Structure formats: C-alpha cells, structure tokens
Amino acid sequence: MKGRFLLGLALAVALRMADAGPLPGEVVTRIGQVAAVPADQRKVPGYAGAWRQASAQDKVVERIEELEGRRSKACRDLIVFDTVQAAPDLLETRPYRVHHALERWSVRACGVVRHYDVWYSFEASRSQLKVSESSATDFQAELDPPLRRLQELAAARSTEEASGLVRWLNLPLPPDSVPAANSAGARGWSADFVPLGDSPREWTQLIGVQGLPRVNSRGQARALLEGMQRARESRCGLPAGPVEALPSDEASGETVQTYLVCPRVPDTNYAEMAVVKAIEGPDYLYVVQRAWRLPADDAERLKADSEKPRAAAEAFLSQVRLCNPAGDRQPCPAPYPR
C-alpha cells in the first residue's frame, strides 16, 4: 500500500512539473500596473521595509523565528539584513482573481546567513502568507502552482538583472503617502502618491513617478524638462527657468533637475510649484517630481512663500537615484516595485 502511495505521489509531482508555465488567466504585472502601497513603518531594510505594512513585516519575522526555532540548534539571535522583490507581481484571474507576490528575505541567524522565500496570496477574505527557506525542496512549489510560477518569474528576473541593463529606482516616499493613481502601457508607466487625507484631484502635495521609453541618443532628459519649462511659460506667463545638470553614475545618459512655478493656475485660485528630476537609465527615462499647491499670489511673493516646500522637494529628490542590481544595490534602500 505504501509503495502505491509513493508511486502515485511521484506521478502527481511529475505531472505538475510537466505543467510549468503560465497560470489560467495569468497577468504578469509591469511597473506602474499595480499601485504600490508604502509602508506605514519601516521595520526591516530593503524592499519589504519600504513597501509592506508594519503588521506584514512583523508576521514574516515571526514565521522566520518559528522556522529557526524548529532547528536542532534553535536560534533566537535573528537579524534581517536585506529584503528584495524576487519576481514581478502575478495576477491569476481564473477561477478567482488572486494577486500573488514573492519576496526574498536574507537573515543572519546566530551568525549563519540564510535566505527565505516569502509568498503573499492576496484574495478577498482568503489572503495567505507562506514563508519557507529558499534552499528547501521544490515540493511545496509543485503543490502550489502560483508559487512555482513565481519562482519561474524570479529566475527570469535574476537573469534579466544580471545583464546589467536593468535599473532599480530608489523612491523613499514620506511615511504618510498613499497611492492616488497608476497606469502602464506602451508609452510607459506612471504612479502618483499624495499625503493621507488628500484626494487624487484636490491634493495639496503630490509625488509623481514616471518611466518613459528611452531613445538611443543622450539629451532626452534635458529636452523633456526644457519642454516642461516652455509649457509652464506659455500657461503661466513666467519666463522659462533653467535646467540644471546633476552628477550621474549612469553611463547611458545624464541626470537633470528643474524648478517649476506657476503663480496662478488658469481657472483656479491656487498656485503650483514643483521640483522635477529626470534620469536617463538604460531601460527607461525616469521622471520624478514633488509638487505643492499654494494660495495664488504674485510671482515674487510666491517664490518667497515656497522656499520651505522647495527645500523639502529638493531634499527628497536628492535621494532619488538609480542603482544597478547586477553590481551595487546599496544606493537603493527603497527600490520602487517593478
């Protein structure tokens, strides 16, 4: 009887292994396709600390502590030193709509480095969290096709990042930020974030991030920001301002920044100011802005009133940069989900 059971189990596993590839109704998300939710509190470093709620971070730590406690030499001295988004998020649309995500957590347990796979399955009233050591057997993945598919996507992502042509964008959002809008398509991707309590339309502060298709030549970033200055000049009646070149580590292009101000937005009673940074990466032209709405006023008074918001915007953008996951990931402690 036992032999039959083992034979049947082996056959079932073999069938599942042969069934590799997409899930029913699978959608592999692109950057900007699913709104990222910033963490309300950072408890661990890296991706999870920036983009998972504190309660979720705590649950993963508890699961890892439980697994470490089951070892023959149980360890209570546990330090999480890195967390990464291992694969793009995955949507399974049939028979139910389920959103899957995979992270990889790196820990030091009593001096020993170990890696854990953290699988989230978001489903109405049935969400799950599973944690397993990355080096563990693939048996669990064979029993859970979504996990198996995420691991396939993780392997593909690892190969892609090893090519050196992919960048991570560091986006350390303020802790009270919430998603307001997001989109992705052939013309690129974008996402907007506002402070908790602001609405997507009637915002007082906004952080916008975009990824635009790259052209082959340098100068795309400067041309874009100069175009934004000309549009603001036409709309608001102020001379176009300068576009400043910033230091860049990117061999593929340059990094530039500009300050935009409009004393009165047409047909409104408010002014807008924004600092915009554009970075030419090998994969996208990254454009990040931090904007404020203020009471309408004359240009000189508005510039004086906007000194503090401008300084805050520039301080935020000074942390916005690209890093190469094939080389040094350290400059990106809060990589934007991709």
Side-chain angles (χ1 to χ4, degrees):
M1 184 67 180
K2 182 178 179 181
R4 288 183 182 178
F5 173 77
L6 292 175
L7 180 61
L9 181 60
L11 179 59
V13 171
L15 288 173
R16 290 190 180 94
M17 291 179 67
D19 191 28
L23 300 173
E26 171 183 300
V27 177
V28 179
T29 65
R30 292 174 289 178
I31 305 178
Q33 197 164 16
V34 174
V37 180
D40 54 349
Q41 184 180 354
R42 169 166 285 210
K43 296 201 163 189
V44 298
Y47 174 85
W51 300 101
R52 293 288 178 219
Q53 297 294 289
S55 57
Q57 298 173 54
D58 284 336
K59 286 180 182 177
V60 175
V61 172
E62 290 170 6
R63 302 284 174 87
I64 294 175
E65 288 177 339
E66 181 182 348
L67 291 171
E68 288 292 335
R70 295 177 185 173
R71 297 181 183 277
S72 57
K73 293 184 179 180
C75 178
R76 299 185 182 277
D77 180 17
L78 189 76
I79 298 174
V80 178
F81 67 87
D82 193 21
T83 61
V84 298
Q85 182 189 24
D89 284 7
L90 178 66
L91 302 180
E92 183 182 9
T93 62
R94 295 195 300 269
Y96 307 104
R97 187 174 180 85
V98 189
H99 176 190
H100 302 284
L102 184 66
E103 298 168 0
R104 188 149 293 141
W105 288 45
S106 299
V107 305
R108 289 189 183 91
C110 297
V112 178
V113 172
R114 276 190 275 268
H115 305 284
Y116 286 89
D117 284 351
V118 178
W119 171 33
Y120 295 91
S121 178
F122 301 105
E123 185 178 3
S125 303
R126 298 175 59 184
S127 293
Q128 297 183 63
L129 168 65
K130 295 184 179 180
V131 179
S132 61
E133 193 172 354
S134 299
S135 60
T137 175
D138 289 337
F139 178 67
Q140 184 64 42
E142 301 304 337
L143 293 178
D144 292 301
L147 177 57
R148 178 261 304 154
R149 183 59 177 142
L150 283 172
Q151 290 177 342
E152 292 174 358
L153 294 171
R157 165 164 289 189
S158 180
T159 300
E160 177 191 39
E161 292 180 343
S163 72
L165 298 177
V166 175
R167 294 297 183 266
W168 288 1
L169 173 70
N170 194 57
L171 192 71
L173 294 177
D176 65 341
S177 301
V178 295
N182 68 296
S183 65
R187 295 184 177 181
W189 51 267
S190 67
D192 292 335
F193 300 88
V194 299
L196 183 66
D198 275 15
S199 74
R201 294 179 62 86
E202 303 298 325
W203 51 267
T204 59
Q205 299 180 36
L206 178 138
I207 292 174
V209 54
Q210 289 179 281
L212 304 176
R214 283 286 277 125
V215 299
N216 292 329
S217 59
R218 294 171 64 97
Q220 184 182 5
R222 179 173 292 276
L224 176 70
L225 296 198
E226 289 177 346
M228 293 175 71
Q229 282 286 2
R230 288 193 297 271
R232 188 63 59 97
E233 178 182 24
S234 174
R235 189 182 186 203
C236 303
L238 288 182
V243 174
E244 175 189 6
L246 299 178
S248 175
D249 295 330
E250 291 301 311
S252 59
E254 63 179 343
T255 298
V256 293
Q257 186 167 295
T258 197
Y259 171 55
L260 298 165
V261 61
C262 185
R264 181 186 294 274
V265 177
D267 302 321
T268 75
N269 63 351
Y270 57 78
E272 283 187 2
M273 61 79 57
V275 183
V276 188
K277 187 173 190 175
I279 309 172
E280 294 178 356
D283 46 1
Y284 293 102
L285 170 64
Y286 295 87
V287 184
V288 182
Q289 68 168 312
R290 188 165 191 189
W292 266 263
R293 283 177 175 165
L294 304 167
D297 210 332
D298 66 82
E300 293 306 313
R301 181 68 176 270
L302 178 63
K303 288 180 180 179
D305 290 344
S306 65
E307 285 183 0
K308 288 185 177 179
R310 180 178 180 178
E314 290 175 346
F316 164 73
L317 289 173
S318 69
Q319 303 174 74
V320 173
R321 62 181 70 90
L322 302 184
C323 60
N324 183 353
D328 185 8
R329 297 193 286 108
Q330 295 305 308
C332 288
Y336 183 67
R338 58 174 296 272

